[in-house]
Amino acid sequence: MPVRLVITGAMWDRIEPLMPADPVRGRRWADHRRTLEAIAWKYRTNSPWRDLPDELGSFQTAHKRLIRWAVDGTWEKILAAVLAAADAVDDIGWTVSVDSTVVRAHQHAAGALKRGPQAETSQLTTRSDAPAAG
C-alpha cells in the first residue's frame, strides 16, 4: 500500500528554508522532506514508530529528528510560518470540538470525598480586613 503524501510542493517551498542545515561534522542528514512525511504518517495513523513504512526511511531517524527539532525550535518556526501564510489569505478556522470520548477528567477531579482520616477542612470563605461595602 503506497504512502499518501501530506506535504505538497507549495507547502514544502514555505517550510524548506526553515529546516536546519546539515551538521558541520559527520554524515549528511537524510532528506528532510521524507523525514517530515514519516513524522506526519506516524501521527496521522497513530501507529508505533517501528511500523513506519520502508519508503519513509528508518524509524530511528524520524524519531530522533522529531526530538531534535522540538528541542532546537524548528517546530515553532514551522508553525509560525504556516500560520502566518494561512492568516495572510484568511484561511484559519479556530473551531474546536471536544467531547467526552476525547477528554476525560482525572479521577481526583470528580469531587468525591477522600478516604481515610479526614484532614481539617478549611473555611470556604475568609474574612477580609477591608471595610464592608455599604
Side-chain angles (χ1 to χ4, degrees):
M1 175 183 216
V3 175
R4 188 179 95 217
L5 297 179
V6 175
I7 303 169
T8 63
M11 189 185 306
W12 177 245
D13 291 341
R14 190 173 315 275
I15 293 173
E16 185 178 23
L18 304 172
M19 302 308 294
D22 283 339
V24 176
R25 296 184 308 175
R27 295 183 344 175
R28 292 187 50 156
W29 281 356
D31 181 33
H32 287 315
R33 187 170 185 170
R34 185 172 76 165
T35 304
L36 279 172
E37 292 286 353
I39 294 167
W41 179 89
K42 190 264 187 264
Y43 287 105
R44 185 178 66 245
T45 62
N46 198 25
S47 299
W49 282 107
R50 290 188 180 272
D51 291 347
L52 194 70
D54 291 336
E55 61 263 23
L56 292 177
S58 165
F59 75 89
Q60 291 102 334
T61 299
H63 182 258
K64 286 179 185 176
R65 197 84 55 89
L66 170 71
I67 301 300
R68 181 181 308 231
W69 290 343
V71 170
D72 72 8
T74 300
W75 288 119
E76 287 84 10
K77 289 187 272 185
I78 291 172
L79 178 63
V82 170
L83 285 177
D87 191 36
V89 293
D90 199 29
D91 192 29
I92 295 180
W94 293 102
T95 304
V96 177
S97 177
V98 179
D99 64 14
S100 63
T101 61
V102 177
V103 177
R104 300 274 187 224
H106 189 272
Q107 63 187 3
H108 297 140
L113 295 175
K114 294 181 180 180
R115 293 186 184 153
Q118 297 295 321
E120 282 187 38
T121 57
S122 62
Q123 294 179 353
L124 296 177
T125 58
T126 57
R127 297 199 180 270
S128 171
D129 290 336

